[in-house]
Amino acid sequence: MGRRAGALTGPGAMRSPGAVAILALLLAAAVPAAMLVGPYPLTLAQVLAAVAARLSGSATIGDSVDTVVFAIRLPRVAAALLVGGALAAAGTCYQTLFRNPLVSPDILGVSAGAGLGAVLGIFLSLPVAAIQGMAFAGGLACVALVAAVAAAVRGRDPILVLVLAGVVVGALAGAATSLLKVLADPYDQLPAITFWLLGSLASIRAGDLVPALPAVAVGLVPLVLLRWRINVLALGDDEARALGVEVRRLRAGVILCATLVTASVVAIAGVVGWVGLVIPHVARMLVGPGFGRLLPVAALLGALYMLVVDTLARSIGTAEVPLGILTAAIGAPFFLWLLARGRRSWS
């Protein structure tokens, strides 16, 4: 057990059902609050009246409140929950798999590849759906390249090779992205590229969630079903093999599922950092390092965090603040605090 990495645990860690119940109640309160806040403020009575009108079939098409609630706020709130939960779950998987507290969902080049795919789509003036598809394909392609490099290099620590290959491939994708930014139209394409790379849910519509939801579900379900085997991986490869776990096959499956989850949400939200790095640590402090109880708590906590951050992004100023700026501004100092608080607990 001494090799469990990043175990920022405390003696007061609560039980998982209690943490899940508390987070679920907080989410139940945060979702209606997020529906009310924005450039066009609403009251709870207006939101409830719009929902009742939709359910009864008497909604007025073109009504401003109905449009704000169902065409703008509701898809955005749902997207924030999906993106935050998915990134936090993926970060939890990567940190457990690599036994490293500094690992995040973009360690294997997922975000860099998705960014390159989206930037290429914007550079080619493709429609939004095609840009999202290219972002998704770019993320998966980068991780496939990392896996191919790791498979070609034998005789080395497989985890170290994966991480180093991810750094190299991510750097190459970042260089290609920078080249496209230099070549892009500075008055039309470059602002769109910059805004996408900073992350935003401003343009989310209900149709954008249709392809993302099943992809995230396909990635998360195997992680939930294999949670006890994944937990064994945190002990180290030798210990896992001694307990009957096929380490290489399980590691490849976890990487594939976590990458699918990450690429799916990055494709619709852009590059949003720090969520998959910080939130798993907070969840670990709440319920301990056991992957079976850590995964649902991290997912709920990530969903709540992203919902709060996105609400702030569209309400703290006259112009919307990109998500990547806010998550970095909040996550960086908080992570430093976590490092200081847990410096004696790293293992």
Side-chain angles (χ1 to χ4, degrees), residues 48-144:
L48 293 177
V51 172
R54 277 293 180 108
L55 293 177
S56 64
S58 60
T60 303
I61 302 300
D63 178 72
S64 58
V65 174
D66 182 84
T67 300
V68 170
V69 171
F70 290 100
I72 300 175
R73 296 273 169 85
L74 189 59
R76 185 159 184 170
V77 167
L81 297 176
L82 179 67
V83 171
L87 290 177
T92 301
C93 293
Y94 281 124
Q95 289 182 9
T96 301
L97 181 68
F98 291 104
R99 306 191 297 278
N100 190 321
L102 299 178
V103 167
S104 61
D106 57 357
I107 189 65
L108 298 183
V110 185
S111 296
L116 176 57
V119 168
L120 182 59
I122 296 172
F123 183 77
L124 297 175
S125 301
L126 298 178
V128 174
I131 292 172
Q132 293 175 349
M134 291 191 68
F136 179 74
L140 294 183
C142 268
V143 175

Side-chain angles (χ1 to χ4, degrees), residues 186-282:
Y187 300 104
D188 182 23
Q189 296 173 331
L190 187 57
I193 289 173
T194 303
F195 194 73
W196 194 94
L197 290 175
L198 290 174
S200 175
L201 298 177
S203 60
I204 286 290
R205 296 296 179 263
D208 298 329
L209 301 177
V210 174
L213 277 171
V216 170
V218 168
L220 284 181
V221 169
L223 296 176
V224 173
L225 296 178
L226 296 172
R227 59 191 182 278
W228 305 116
R229 291 181 177 270
I230 296 173
N231 196 45
V232 174
L233 283 180
L235 303 176
D237 290 1
D238 294 337
E239 292 88 341
R241 290 191 186 94
L243 293 173
V245 175
E246 296 184 21
V247 174
R248 293 186 62 182
R249 183 177 299 179
L250 180 60
R251 180 181 291 124
V254 172
I255 289 174
L256 177 62
C257 291
T259 298
L260 179 63
V261 168
T262 304
S264 301
V265 296
V266 170
I268 64 172
V271 180
V272 182
W274 292 94
V275 180
L277 177 61
V278 175
I279 296 302
H281 287 294
V282 181

